């Protein structure tokens, strides 16, 4: 299995899908900051520019979102890369060489995680860096979010983003190896991600409108069911997370990652590779 991972990592470093996606991510990080800077300049008054959009904290929140900007491109490119392993015969050659199918699938999960996290680290890091240089970084978001941020929320957000992207890798690899067709896999994965995000946003919003007690009930339940629930809630701007909510926001994507990982391994091990 170690040999599989080593060869896959070497192939990934030479893969054009990865390189092109990386270039797109870098370009998009620069472009989004320029767009936000243009908005700030256009809304400036008396020659004074308040960086409401182009700043470090705003770029941190937007760049890590799985349904905005570059985040939405990660699973698409991972689908192309993974299915390419089937169409060019790489998976078949590994099986012929005597590698266990279960090890091959686990290696795909590991490489998929490296593929996705590497791209997001570069994109988010560059986005936050440029935004901070131009508009500064206010951990409390006094200007851009109306004092709706704090240092605790920021590191919680980054930790949750890490586990959410592991979940996205898990479902992407699962459906990519199940369908083995870009046209069939892409809409399923994208619709699932968007649905989970919107479900979190709408369920929280509706529960708050109904009553505080209902909001607490829905929160306690949904945070342990929907792996993107907290990301959807973040789009509503929540200043502080209860401790149990934060723990649930980590546990949920982890157990769904394991569920799809184990299920995918079993299905892959039993299917024929043509």
């Amino acid at each position: 299995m170690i040999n599989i991972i080593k060869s896959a990592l070497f192939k990934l470093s030479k893969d054009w899908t990865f390189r092109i996606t990386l270039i797109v991510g870098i370009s998009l990080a620069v472009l989004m900051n320029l767009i936000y800077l243009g908005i700030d300049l256009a809304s400036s008054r008396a020659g004074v520019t308040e960086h409401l959009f182009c700043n470090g904290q705003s770029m941190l929140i937007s760049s890590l979102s799985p349904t905005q900007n570059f985040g939405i491109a990660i699973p698409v490119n991972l689908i192309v890369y993974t299915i390419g392993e089937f169409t060019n015969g790489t998976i078949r050659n590994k099986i012929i060489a005597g590698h266990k199918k279960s090890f091959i699938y686990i290696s795909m999960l590991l490489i998929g995680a490296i593929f996705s996290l590497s791209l997001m680290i570069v994109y988010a890091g560059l986005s936050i860096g440029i935004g901070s240089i131009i508009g500064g970084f206010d951990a409390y978001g006094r200007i851009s979010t109306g004092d709706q941020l704090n240092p605790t929320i920021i590191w919680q957000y980054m930790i949750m983003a890490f586990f959410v992207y592991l979940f996205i890798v898990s479902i992407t690899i699962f459906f990519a190896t199940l369908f083995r067709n870009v046209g069939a896999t892409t809409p399923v994965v994208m619709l699932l991600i968007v649905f989970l995000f919107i479900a979190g946003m709408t369920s929280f919003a509706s529960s708050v409108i109904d009553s505080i007690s209902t909001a607490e009930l829905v929160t306690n339940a949904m945070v342990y069911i929907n792996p993107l629930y907290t990301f959807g809630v973040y789009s509503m701007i929540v200043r502080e997370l209860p401790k149990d909510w934060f723990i649930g926001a980590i546990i949920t994507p982890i157990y769904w990652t394991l569920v799809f990982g184990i299920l995918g391994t079993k299905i892959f091990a039993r299917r024929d590779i043509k």
Side-chain angles (χ1 to χ4, degrees), residues 20-236:
I20 293 173
T21 307
L22 183 61
I23 294 172
V24 170
I26 294 173
S27 303
L28 185 61
V30 176
L31 178 62
M32 292 307 298
N33 272 283
L34 291 177
I35 291 175
Y36 289 150
L37 176 60
I39 296 174
D40 288 338
L41 293 174
S43 60
S44 61
R45 299 179 181 179
V48 178
T49 301
E50 291 186 340
H51 293 285
L52 299 175
F53 297 96
C54 187
N55 54 66
Q57 68 274 8
S58 293
M59 295 308 300
L60 183 147
I61 299 299
S62 64
S63 65
L64 291 179
S65 174
T67 58
Q68 293 184 42
N69 303 333
F70 194 59
I72 205 74
I74 293 295
V76 174
N77 286 278
L78 182 57
I79 289 169
V80 174
Y81 175 80
T82 302
I83 294 178
E85 294 285 275
F86 288 93
T87 56
N88 60 25
T90 302
I91 300 297
R92 185 172 180 273
N93 291 337
K94 290 178 180 178
I95 295 174
I96 293 175
H99 297 293
K100 291 184 178 180
K101 288 183 178 180
S102 59
F103 287 169
I104 294 174
Y105 190 86
I106 293 172
S107 70
M108 283 193 290
L109 289 175
L110 293 175
I111 298 303
I114 294 172
F115 178 98
S116 302
L117 294 176
S118 297
L119 293 172
M120 282 306 300
I121 288 172
V122 172
Y123 171 71
L126 189 59
S127 297
I128 297 167
I130 295 175
S132 298
I133 292 173
I134 296 175
F137 190 100
D138 182 3
Y140 292 90
R142 295 178 180 88
I143 296 177
S144 59
T145 64
D147 197 25
Q148 290 298 310
L149 290 178
N150 61 54
T152 301
I153 280 287
I154 290 174
W155 67 259
Q156 286 178 335
Y157 189 80
M158 290 189 289
I159 291 175
M160 290 186 294
F162 173 80
F163 289 106
V164 163
Y165 277 100
L166 289 184
F167 161 73
I168 290 175
V169 168
S170 181
I171 62 170
T172 300
I173 298 296
F174 175 82
F175 287 109
T177 56
L178 184 65
F179 297 135
R180 302 176 190 177
N181 180 280
V182 175
T185 306
T186 302
V188 172
V189 173
M190 300 312 299
L191 287 174
L192 180 58
I193 293 173
V194 173
F195 170 77
L196 291 173
F197 179 86
I198 295 177
M201 180 175 62
T202 54
S203 63
F204 180 80
S206 61
S207 64
V208 170
I209 292 173
D210 291 340
S211 68
I212 298 299
S213 59
T214 306
E216 293 175 351
L217 178 62
V218 173
T219 294
N220 291 336
M222 292 303 296
V223 75
Y224 288 100
I225 298 174
N226 184 348
L228 267 67
Y229 178 77
T230 306
F231 264 95
V233 172
Y234 258 110
S235 67
M236 305 290 292

